[in-house]
Amino acid sequence: MSGPFADITETVFAEKSVLSESYQPEEILERDEEIDAFSHALQDVLFGREPENLFLYGKAGLGKTAVTKYMMEELKSEVKTRDEADELHVHEINCNGKTLFMVVRRLTNNLLPPEASSFPKRGLGTGDAFEELYQQLDRLGGTHLIVFDEIDHLDDVNTLLYELPRARSNDQISDSLVGIIGISNNYTFRQTLSSKVKDTLMETEISFSPYDAGELRTILHDRADRAFVDGGCDDSAIAKAAALSAQDMGNARQALDLLRVGAEEAERQDDNIVVDTHIEEARTLVQRGRLRNKIRDQTEHAQYILETIAKLENRGEVPARSKTIQDGYEQVAEAYGTTPLTTLKSIQDHLSDLHMLGFLLRHERNQGLSGGQYYEYELDLDPMIVLETREDIIQSSE
Ligand SMILES: Nc1ncnc2c1ncn2[C@@H]1O[C@H](COP(=O)(O)OP(=O)(O)OP(=O)(O)O)[C@@H](O)[C@H]1O
Ligand SMILES: [Mg+2]
């Protein structure tokens, strides 16, 4: 028997899922100080006292979510061994794209007994949802830690942070204790809060700094030991992935992506050991993936403009002036059955945004003696990435 799969018999992976985004490491490496600060901030839980509120700050991929998950598991098991501690309930909610009402409603529903009907989506307001939440907290009793991930994305964060931490002192709850753990990418989050909240909110802050190459190597080595078969991955490949990610924000997620995609490249090329060159190749693929996501995040008109410039570029007609781009853009928008934006100014605004986001290069030109100034634009990325991504988006929307 031979078929398209018959030749695929070898793999570098012993357990590939160890390198996936959803894998929660049993052990957190290189974050001893943060873990220590975390333990102290939550120590009141062990003694049945009201927990401190805790805010974690740091850029993407620095271990905020992983450390929090780890600490919650550790705390849950520690609490079981302590007589003074109340029963611990941990609730996690991601605030991205949610309104305060949605968040409070979701929390309330998580706390309701299984036989109860869920809190209605319509008809009642945020105040009602808070009231129901407080009732459920008291019904369950014990200590509740509520983790709000991406808390800076919440629309009405001031109300949340004014209400919830004061529920007990305002007699809205009496049989339960509540602590908030907020996670944010924005180091200046606290400054964005209203002064009323800033004055009343008592919290501990932990800031996560970028990993250096050595720290990333430690994290990757630990994963690689589990992820790969013996000898499946060269040490220098790990060092390469760590060094590349350290140069670029010190992001552990990116380092793990490089290792996983590099290993996939090795398999695709029928190599049975992952080496530096696979990581180099992975870098291009991972960067492309990121660019694609960035393009997808743009509005449809911004995407039409990018597509227009990519087409001009393929015809060798760049750098191009905004009027030329506008003409091409109108054809593109109409081809997709969309009414184009009409003013040159709106196109220029989009061009300037796209330039700021790093999609475009901008050249300043002077119009000789007449003295006028204008800009010309071209892509700062491979036009094929734009055209392929647009193709994908159109296909998936059909
Ligand atoms: N110190 C560490 N030890 C082991 N694994 C880690 C460590 N730090 C990060 N990771 C891993 O790196 C990846 C990214 O970490 P995590 O999701 O915690 O980042 P984050 O700070 O929450 O990022 P974001 O702001 O984008 O949500 C995860 O797969 C996580 O398991
Ligand atoms: Mg996270």
Side-chain angles (χ1 to χ4, degrees):
M1 282 288 275
S2 79
F5 294 106
D7 289 341
I8 305 176
T9 54
E10 297 216 24
T11 177
V12 295
F13 295 111
E15 203 179 338
K16 189 176 176 182
S17 64
V18 170
L19 297 178
S20 76
E21 173 76 35
S22 57
Y23 178 83
Q24 170 63 24
E26 281 160 35
E27 215 187 332
I28 300 291
L29 301 156
E30 306 286 2
R31 282 296 187 218
D32 294 351
E33 270 176 43
E34 290 79 0
I35 288 174
D36 203 39
F38 215 122
S39 314
H40 283 296
L42 295 183
Q43 67 185 19
D44 286 326
V45 173
L46 301 175
F47 305 100
R49 297 191 292 249
E50 185 163 39
E52 280 178 29
N53 300 307
L54 180 59
F55 282 83
L56 311 180
Y57 300 107
K59 292 259 177 292
L62 299 184
K64 300 179 300 298
T65 301
V67 168
T68 304
K69 287 213 157 84
Y70 168 79
M71 293 303 290
M72 293 301 103
E73 290 310 311
E74 291 292 311
L75 187 59
K76 276 191 225 164
S77 53
E78 185 66 34
V79 156
K80 289 195 186 118
T81 69
R82 304 276 187 135
D83 294 338
E84 288 166 274
D86 294 325
E87 193 180 346
L88 177 63
H89 307 266
V90 176
H91 316 283
E92 285 164 24
I93 186 152
N94 190 300
C95 302
N96 194 10
K98 298 201 181 73
T99 61
L100 179 60
F101 175 72
M102 285 155 91
V103 165
V104 181
R105 177 176 175 270
R106 173 82 58 96
L107 279 171
T108 306
N109 283 338
N110 290 349
L111 269 68
L112 284 169
E115 68 279 6
S117 48
S118 56
F119 190 86
K121 268 201 181 115
R122 287 184 189 81
L124 296 174
T126 310
D128 303 305
F130 267 116
E131 210 166 289
E132 183 64 41
L133 176 65
Y134 296 142
Q135 276 187 22
Q136 293 307 320
L137 288 167
D138 266 356
R139 183 183 66 78
L140 287 163
T143 302
H144 296 260
L145 288 175
I146 310 181
V147 181
F148 295 96
D149 209 342
E150 305 197 52
I151 192 166
D152 50 320
H153 290 247
L154 191 62
D155 67 338
D156 191 4
V157 73
N158 284 309
T159 304
L160 177 77
L161 295 182
Y162 192 66
E163 288 291 323
L164 205 46
R166 293 153 30 98
R168 203 177 160 83
S169 52
N170 286 343
D171 290 331
Q172 276 142 331
I173 52 174
S174 52
D175 298 329
S176 51
L177 298 166
V178 177
I180 289 179
I181 300 176
I183 305 181
S184 163
N185 281 146
N186 181 358
Y187 291 98
T188 60
F189 172 68
R190 196 176 206 285
Q191 287 158 33
T192 68
L193 299 173
S194 75
S195 45
K196 195 169 83 171
V197 173
K198 274 190 270 196
D199 291 346
T200 50
L201 185 67
M202 301 283 287
E203 87 277 33
T204 303
E205 299 183 1
I206 306 178
S207 176
F208 284 59
S209 47
Y211 291 114
D212 66 25
E215 291 165 338
L216 288 172
R217 266 205 309 275
T218 312
I219 293 170
L220 290 185
H221 262 295
D222 177 67
R223 293 286 177 104
D225 282 346
R226 263 169 277 189
F228 296 112
V229 297
D230 270 352
C233 181
D234 218 59
D235 277 355
S236 68
I238 290 175
K240 182 101 210 168
L244 289 175
S245 308
Q247 274 166 27
D248 184 18
M249 322 290 279
N251 176 335
R253 181 181 299 116
Q254 184 189 351
L256 287 161
D257 281 348
L258 285 176
L259 197 58
R260 189 189 61 254
V261 176
E264 286 167 353
E265 257 324 272
E267 294 210 315
R268 215 177 48 76
Q269 296 166 19
D270 286 331
D271 293 336
N272 48 21
I273 173 160
V274 187
V275 297
D276 293 32
T277 49
H278 298 128
I279 304 295
E280 291 276 7
E281 285 153 10
R283 182 190 201 185
T284 317
L285 292 170
V286 169
Q287 274 171 345
R288 274 185 176 241
R290 260 197 287 166
L291 270 175
R292 279 169 190 260
N293 290 339
K294 224 169 113 182
I295 295 171
R296 282 172 191 277
D297 288 345
Q298 301 307 308
T299 63
E300 70 176 329
H301 291 287
Q303 289 191 25
Y304 296 156
I305 291 173
L306 286 174
E307 181 173 331
T308 305
I309 304 173
K311 286 179 169 161
L312 287 169
E313 196 138 337
N314 277 351
R315 295 202 298 266
E317 295 170 18
V318 289
R321 292 185 67 159
S322 45
K323 185 72 188 83
T324 315
I325 295 169
Q326 184 184 26
D327 294 344
Y329 152 81
E330 283 172 357
Q331 287 175 20
V332 170
E334 274 159 10
Y336 290 117
T338 311
T339 314
L341 302 171
T342 48
T343 62
L344 183 59
K345 172 81 172 60
S346 58
I347 303 301
Q348 285 166 338
D349 287 345
H350 271 299
L351 288 168
S352 131
D353 287 346
L354 289 167
H355 168 246
M356 249 171 32
L357 289 166
F359 286 111
L360 302 178
L361 291 174
R362 185 166 80 175
H363 310 278
E364 199 176 311
R365 306 285 191 220
N366 291 311
Q367 231 155 2
L369 290 175
S370 65
Q373 262 185 355
Y374 63 94
Y375 291 122
E376 284 188 336
Y377 296 90
E378 64 185 308
L379 289 178
D380 196 9
L381 67 159
D382 181 353
M384 281 320 289
I385 295 181
V386 174
L387 297 174
E388 281 168 17
T389 307
R390 286 291 305 147
E391 192 85 355
D392 286 352
I393 293 171
I394 295 152
Q395 269 174 11
S396 58
S397 68
E398 274 169 4

